[in-house]
Amino acid sequence: MTDAAVAKFVAFLNDAPNDHIRLSVKQEGPTGFMYDLQIESPPWTDDDLVDRSNGFTIVVSPRDSIYLDGATIDWETRPDGTEGFKFNNPNAIEQ
C-alpha cells in the first residue's frame, strides 16, 4: 500500500477504530474480476489473513489472497477530479 492509500484507510476508520477493512476479489462477467473494499466490524473467521499494521486492520480470505499476491493499492486523484483507490496487480491480464 502506498502512503496515500494508508492515509485514506486510517481516515475511513477514524470514527470506528475497532472496525477493519475487508479486501476481496469478486468475479465480474465471464472472465473478469474486480476488487472490493468494505468496512466491517469484528469478528473475522479463523481462516482469514489479518494484517494489523499502518494504524488499521485489513482482512483477506485465503482464496482472495491468491489473486492479490504482489498487488499494490494506491489512492489517486484523476484529471477529472474524481478520487479513488487504484489497484496495480502484476498478475492481472489486461484486455
Side-chain angles (χ1 to χ4, degrees):
M1 279 183 253
T2 66
D3 290 342
V6 167
K8 284 298 178 180
F9 284 132
V10 169
F12 289 149
L13 293 172
N14 189 44
D15 293 332
N18 294 322
D19 288 351
H20 59 271
I21 303 287
R22 162 114 14 219
L23 172 56
S24 58
V25 179
K26 307 281 183 190
Q27 187 166 359
E28 183 177 88
T31 59
F33 293 92
M34 70 177 231
Y35 305 103
D36 187 51
L37 295 165
Q38 298 290 324
I39 296 175
E40 294 183 338
S41 297
W44 46 77
T45 70
D46 290 339
D47 291 341
D48 283 331
L49 304 172
V50 179
D51 180 16
R52 294 181 182 110
S53 60
N54 299 309
F56 63 94
T57 302
I58 192 161
V59 177
V60 179
S61 75
R63 176 203 153 282
D64 291 338
S65 70
I66 295 166
Y67 298 104
L68 297 165
D69 187 36
T72 58
I73 306 171
D74 193 10
W75 180 265
E76 69 175 6
T77 301
R78 296 172 194 97
D80 65 1
T82 61
E83 296 180 311
F85 289 104
K86 179 180 180 182
F87 290 80
N88 296 306
N89 191 335
N91 304 307
I93 298 171
E94 304 234 2
Q95 295 192 16

